[in-house]
């Protein structure tokens, strides 16, 4: 296990492996998304209260899950950066952050589109939307700090500290916002013993959630691959691979 | 020198420096007052409206005043190299950072408490809310300085880090803002406030324990 971990940390191996894995994940994501969209948009019933607009859920909820999941990935990679100084982990964190920000943005936009027919307004200061908005600000801060520091080693470690500070704060912010305002309906899927969502809606939701997850991993690996390549551009394996003179 | 001695020496030095540059003491205070007095001008001077928005306005202004003064925490020491000397000391950097944060709070956070009663009058807050406002400032602004120290430590080596600092720090200030403003608003409306004060205290305890460690780590990276 450790040896495998260590080998993955070598930029050269990571570059090779990430290319193959990324393609496989992309194919899986496309299949899952096609199935999820079919079941979600065509084969699942409309909600008895919300009508057809409930179908926004199949994009909105997975996007919101991803926004938090990706932040956790960034934080976990940051810990690896600070403890073991593995450069690949930093590339992965750096590649993930903008994707996380986009998923957060997507969750906000779809939430707003859903809110228009449901609440009659584009935006209300509801607890979950507000938490997502603050999460977006935190992503922006992380990306801004990375871009501001030119020296890659310093940027990696400074951003890692910020990501860990953020991960301590996100639950605090989430619960303070929740306490501040609880207008939203309660969580419906986290109760795994007896979900209050019907199976015909749960299946497309989970299909879409996995499609999003695989899509994220595929894109993050691809982006991390280019970042690794850029950072290692002086090394021998890169020159040999592209036929330059060593 | 023993550890306590060193910490007090550092605290004493920073306080003395602030006292010699008195503008450092008054500027955040003036900023705080001016920002608050802008709101009645931008909205309308209706006493009822002012009572409603007062707690939030005062707290947002306190947040901004704190943020603008953060840069001073490490700036001059970073520029003249004394920060590197501090980092070389045999004592834990996190404790030395804590001493510097304490000095910063004593010179920029504590003075806000003197302006707050006046601002509460300007915004037509009832007198019961006045004491609670002071209490929330006393509990909340140290937390702000502690969290802010991490942001300053991360951005101190960058040119034009000021705007970046606000991007990093303001989202992290939100819990303090929510609970502090709500405590003041509740007391103005005659409701209970112990819950909010307890959470402000908990946030302060958490920040006291963790923020100096993160700030020390960030400083070492910035000094690299």
């Amino acid at each position: 296990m450790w040896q495998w971990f260590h080998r993955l940390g070598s930029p050269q191996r990571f570059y090779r492996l990430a290319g193959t894995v990324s393609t496989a994940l992309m194919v899986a994501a496309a299949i899952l998304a096609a199935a999820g969209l079919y079941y979600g948009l065509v084969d699942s019933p409309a909600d008895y209260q919300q009508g057809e607009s409930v179908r926004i859920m199949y994009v909105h909820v997975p996007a919101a899950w991803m926004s938090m999941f990706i932040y956790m990935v960034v934080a976990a990679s940051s810990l690896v950066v600070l403890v073991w100084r593995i450069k690949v982990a930093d590339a992965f964190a750096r590649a993930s952050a903008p994707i996380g920000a986009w998923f957060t943005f997507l969750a906000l936009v779809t939430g707003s589109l859903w809110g228009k027919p449901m609440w009659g307004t584009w935006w209300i200061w509801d607890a979950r939307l507000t938490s997502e908005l603050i999460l977006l600000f935190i992503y922006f801060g992380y990306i801004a700090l990375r871009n501001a520091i030119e020296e890659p080693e310093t940027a990696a470690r400074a951003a890692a500290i910020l990501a860990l500070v953020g991960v301590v704060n996100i639950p605090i912010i989430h619960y303070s916002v929740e306490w501040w305002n609880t207008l939203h309906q309660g969580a419906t899927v986290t109760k795994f013993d007896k979900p209050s969502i019907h199976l015909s809606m749960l299946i497309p939701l989970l299909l879409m959630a996995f499609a999003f997850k695989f899509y994220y991993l595929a894109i993050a690996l691809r982006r991390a691959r280019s970042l690794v390549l850029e950072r290692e551009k002086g090394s021998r394996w890169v020159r040999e691979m592209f036929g330059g003179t060593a | 020198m023993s550890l306590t001695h060193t910490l007090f020496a550092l605290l004493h030095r920073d306080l003395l420096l602030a006292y010699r540059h008195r503008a450092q003491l008054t500027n955040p205070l003036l900023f705080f007052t001016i920002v608050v007095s802008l709101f009645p001008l931008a909205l309308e001077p209706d006493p009822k409206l002012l009572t409603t928005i007062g707690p939030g306005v005062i707290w947002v202004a306190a947040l901004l005043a704190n943020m603008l003064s953060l840069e001073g925490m490490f700036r001059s020491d970073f520029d003249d190299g004394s920060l590197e000397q501090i980092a070389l000391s045999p004592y834990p950097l996190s404790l030395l950072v804590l001493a510097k944060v304490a000095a910063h709070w004593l010179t920029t956070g504590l003075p806000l408490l003197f302006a707050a009663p006046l601002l509460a009058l300007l915004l037509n807050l009832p007198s019961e809310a006045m004491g609670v406002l002071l209490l929330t400032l006393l509990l909340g602004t140290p937390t702000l300085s502690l969290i802010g120290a991490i942001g300053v430590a991360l951005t101190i080596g960058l040119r034009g880090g000021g705007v970046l600092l606000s991007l990093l720090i303001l989202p992290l200030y939100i819990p303090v803002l929510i609970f502090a403003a709500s405590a003041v608003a509740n007391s103005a409306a005659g409701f209970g406030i112990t819950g909010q004060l307890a959470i402000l205290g908990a946030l302060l305890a958490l920040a006291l324990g963790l923020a100096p460690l993160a700030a020390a780590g960030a400083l070492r990276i910035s000094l690299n």
Side-chain angles (χ1 to χ4, degrees):
Chain A
M1 164 72 195
W2 272 110
Q3 230 171 7
W4 176 82
F5 194 65
H6 217 257
R7 260 191 241 143
L8 191 65
S10 128
Q12 188 180 356
R13 275 186 187 267
F14 175 80
Y15 184 83
R16 297 245 165 83
L17 194 64
T20 336
V21 174
S22 166
T23 313
L25 285 169
M26 205 56 169
V27 172
I31 294 168
L32 283 168
L37 284 177
Y38 171 75
Y39 284 115
L41 299 186
V42 182
D43 201 41
S44 75
D47 191 77
Y48 79 102
Q49 270 181 326
Q50 306 191 6
E52 298 291 344
S53 67
V54 75
R55 299 186 198 282
I56 299 176
M57 174 179 79
Y58 303 120
V59 177
H60 172 71
V61 173
W65 283 343
M66 287 312 293
S67 66
M68 280 175 252
F69 174 76
I70 295 176
Y71 197 88
M72 292 304 141
V73 173
V74 171
S77 312
S78 298
L79 191 67
V80 173
V81 171
L82 284 179
V83 178
W84 291 290
R85 306 213 178 176
I86 295 178
K87 285 178 187 167
V88 169
D90 173 56
F92 199 70
R94 190 175 167 193
S96 296
I99 310 173
W102 274 114
F103 271 119
T104 316
F105 183 70
L106 186 66
L108 282 171
V109 169
T110 50
S112 167
L113 288 175
W114 200 1
K116 185 63 181 165
M118 287 304 102
W119 302 318
T121 165
W122 295 111
W123 181 267
I124 60 170
W125 287 90
D126 143 272
R128 291 192 196 178
L129 280 179
T130 312
S131 295
E132 281 291 304
L133 184 66
I134 297 167
L135 183 61
L136 185 64
F137 293 156
I138 292 178
Y139 270 119
F140 282 158
Y142 178 87
I143 296 169
L145 181 66
R146 287 218 78 123
N147 292 340
I149 307 177
E150 277 167 28
E151 211 277 306
E153 182 74 12
T154 315
R157 298 180 58 211
I161 287 202
L162 185 67
L164 291 179
V165 170
V167 91
V168 173
N169 271 280
I170 281 174
I172 299 177
I173 293 173
H174 179 78
Y175 284 108
S176 37
V177 169
E178 194 119 298
W179 175 86
W180 168 71
N181 186 349
T182 31
L183 256 168
H184 222 73
Q185 57 182 358
T188 44
V189 181
T190 42
K191 299 181 273 174
F192 269 118
D193 47 332
K194 196 186 167 212
S196 48
I197 178 173
H198 191 262
L199 199 64
S200 63
M201 287 182 171
L202 185 64
I203 289 173
L205 185 61
L206 290 180
L207 281 173
M208 287 304 283
F210 278 106
F212 275 33
K213 200 153 282 182
F214 287 168
Y215 170 80
Y216 151 66
L217 287 173
I219 298 291
L221 283 173
R222 198 145 288 200
R223 285 176 56 94
R225 208 168 163 246
S226 348
L227 289 172
V228 164
L229 197 62
E230 193 188 348
R231 204 158 151 181
E232 300 284 313
K233 59 179 176 252
S235 69
R236 214 168 76 201
W237 65 270
V238 175
R239 288 193 214 173
E240 277 169 7
M241 191 163 55
F242 292 99
T245 45
Chain B
M1 279 204 294
S2 72
L3 175 60
T4 8
H5 201 98
T6 313
L7 294 182
F8 275 106
L10 192 56
L11 188 67
H12 180 248
R13 167 185 172 272
D14 276 16
L15 290 179
L16 197 63
L17 276 173
Y19 183 68
R20 295 275 156 83
H21 298 99
R22 254 156 271 180
Q24 234 181 1
L25 286 170
T26 49
N27 284 351
L29 213 56
L30 290 175
F31 175 83
F32 184 45
T33 319
I34 292 172
V35 168
V36 169
S37 55
L38 288 180
F39 279 84
L41 298 173
L43 303 160
E44 45 178 316
D46 169 30
K48 252 189 213 146
L49 175 74
L50 292 182
T51 314
T52 326
I53 62 165
V57 166
I58 292 178
W59 255 97
V60 169
L63 218 87
L64 295 176
N66 171 279
M67 199 197 71
L68 285 180
S69 66
L70 279 177
E71 186 97 14
M73 199 187 287
F74 298 124
R75 172 52 66 198
S76 65
D77 287 351
F78 181 81
D79 286 344
D80 66 13
S82 34
L83 201 57
E84 287 181 37
Q85 298 305 315
I86 291 173
L88 284 175
S89 108
Y91 300 113
L93 183 57
S94 52
L95 290 179
L96 301 173
V97 166
L98 191 60
K100 285 197 77 67
V101 175
H104 176 264
W105 179 73
L106 286 173
T107 51
T108 62
L110 196 60
L112 298 186
L113 264 74
F114 298 107
L118 178 71
L119 299 178
L121 278 180
L122 289 181
L123 293 185
N124 195 34
L125 286 188
S127 50
E128 310 88 71
M130 194 101 77
V132 179
L133 176 65
L134 293 181
L135 207 55
T136 55
L137 283 171
L138 197 62
L139 279 171
T141 47
T143 315
L144 300 184
S145 292
L146 283 162
I147 300 173
I150 306 172
V152 189
L154 284 171
T155 54
I156 193 74
L158 304 172
R159 266 168 290 124
V163 185
L164 179 63
L165 177 66
S166 60
L167 255 176
L168 304 186
I169 288 306
L170 284 180
L172 306 180
Y173 279 180
I174 288 169
V176 174
L177 176 70
I178 288 178
F179 289 107
S182 128
V184 182
N186 267 15
S187 75
F191 297 124
I193 51 157
T194 39
Q196 286 90 324
L197 291 182
I199 289 175
L200 281 177
L203 290 174
L204 177 57
L206 194 68
L208 263 178
L210 295 179
L213 293 173
L219 268 186
R220 286 207 192 278
I221 293 167
S222 289
L223 288 172
N224 210 352

